[in-house]
Amino acid sequence: QQIFSTNEAPSVKLEKTDRRYAWMKKLLARKQAFWDVFPSSWDVTSLLCTSFCKITKAHLAETLDSQRDSLDVANLLKAFHCTLDFE
């Protein structure tokens, strides 16, 4: 949460949506060896992804709210496509 919660301009936060998703994918891949330590019933990767998505949703909603009157459509579409690709 602290990594992506910066004092940057809202438009910059929206532009970096792809980096946010790339970071999560890398984290999951890097820690692959550790997932087997946990019982499969815990479904740790799903819990991490769910938490990540909730935080991302809150950050993006805040960013979009702050840009309501001056939203750059190109950045919005890029973020939208990155989100679809991540799903």
Side-chain angles (χ1 to χ4, degrees), residues 19-79:
R19 294 170 112 193
R20 176 184 290 263
Y21 296 133
W23 175 83
M24 184 60 178
K25 286 179 184 179
K26 269 191 228 176
L27 175 74
L28 290 173
R30 243 187 359 236
K31 304 293 185 181
Q32 187 67 39
F34 298 109
W35 304 138
D36 294 335
V37 172
F38 301 101
S40 60
S41 63
W42 288 12
D43 209 6
V44 174
T45 54
S46 290
L47 290 173
L48 286 173
C49 286
T50 300
S51 294
F52 172 79
C53 289
K54 286 180 182 180
I55 292 168
T56 298
K57 177 185 175 184
H59 284 172
L60 290 177
E62 179 184 314
T63 299
L64 292 173
D65 280 345
S66 68
Q67 286 189 312
R68 184 174 295 159
D69 297 327
S70 61
L71 190 60
D72 180 11
V73 176
N75 284 340
L76 178 61
L77 288 174
K78 180 183 172 196

Side-chain angles (χ1 to χ4, degrees), residues 1-21 56 58-64 66-67 71 75-76 78-79 82:
Q1 188 172 1
Q2 294 171 347
I3 295 172
F4 298 106
S5 183
T6 65
N7 294 331
E8 295 175 324
S11 61
V12 174
K13 290 181 184 179
L14 196 58
E15 288 174 10
K16 292 184 177 181
T17 303
D18 57 336
R19 294 170 112 193
R20 176 184 290 263
Y21 296 133
T56 298
H59 284 172
L60 290 177
E62 179 184 314
T63 299
L64 292 173
S66 68
Q67 286 189 312
L71 190 60
N75 284 340
L76 178 61
K78 180 183 172 196
C82 290

